[in-house]
Amino acid sequence: MRPPVILFLMTALAGSIPIKTLVFPIESCTSFAEMIPQRPMNLTAFTLCMRVATELSGQRAIILFAYRTGNYDELNVWRELDGRLSFYMAGDPVLFKVPELGALQTHLCVTWDSTSGLAALFLDGKRSLSKIYRKGHTVRAGGRVILGQDPDFYLGDFDKHQNFVGEICDVNMWDVVLADSVIQGMFAGEREPRGNVFDWESTELRINGDVEVAIRELYTPEADV
């Protein structure tokens, strides 16, 4: 396995901008990217967004985002075997029946608030119904965030039949629930506040195994001005 590569992602904010994207080309139990948070992840609310594409439709479950402390999956986002999207916070999941992810890139956001328990998904700017999930819960700090694998321990025991195969980019996270209009604008490529937990432009990434870092163009409305 090649040694880890540490990346600091820097992009511009206007026009058709270059953006780094992670390509996971094959099933593997050694390939992943670790994201280093910009603040401790003790969270009572969050918005997590990413752009994702995969052709593993209907074949198996796929991990999209994994945050694990020593003993718990604090926040895992999955594409389930039946195509539903879900997220788990130290227990049973909340599930959403939505259009399946595919080879065409999808802008996906997950929102949750501890005070109300309200949880929702956004796919390409369209909001799901709200569900009540883990009211009063707090996501605990001190773990590690992994793209591409589901760690059954703090960082290890990966299963290639659960890993992500496809492309992920523009992963941002906030410690608040963003307004619907902000998420819709983000999908459209408008300039929006960058994540204060993870900011794809400046977040440190530690690349392990067979993960390719590519550059692609992300359209923004400013390109037409």
Side-chain angles (χ1 to χ4, degrees), residues 59-72:
Q59 299 179 35
R60 59 175 174 82
I62 307 169
I63 187 72
L64 301 177
F65 179 95
Y67 171 48
R68 185 176 176 88
T69 53
N71 297 313
Y72 297 98

Side-chain angles (χ1 to χ4, degrees), residues 9 19-20 22 169-172 194 199-202 205:
L9 302 182
I19 186 171
K20 287 186 172 66
L22 303 181
C169 69
D170 207 19
V171 182
N172 293 280
R194 305 304 299 179
D199 175 0
W200 192 247
E201 293 181 359
S202 58
L205 282 181

Side-chain angles (χ1 to χ4, degrees), residues 162-180:
Q162 294 179 327
N163 82 305
F164 177 78
V165 178
E167 182 178 352
I168 297 179
C169 69
D170 207 19
V171 182
N172 293 280
M173 190 176 195
W174 298 258
D175 62 357
V176 296
V177 174
L178 297 180
D180 292 11

Side-chain angles (χ1 to χ4, degrees), residues 26-31 60-63 78 148-153 156-165:
I26 60 172
E27 288 189 345
S28 167
C29 60
T30 59
S31 300
R60 59 175 174 82
I62 307 169
I63 187 72
W78 286 86
Q149 297 284 351
D150 172 34
D152 290 328
F153 297 107
D157 195 22
F158 298 142
D159 180 351
K160 73 176 184 179
H161 300 300
Q162 294 179 327
N163 82 305
F164 177 78
V165 178

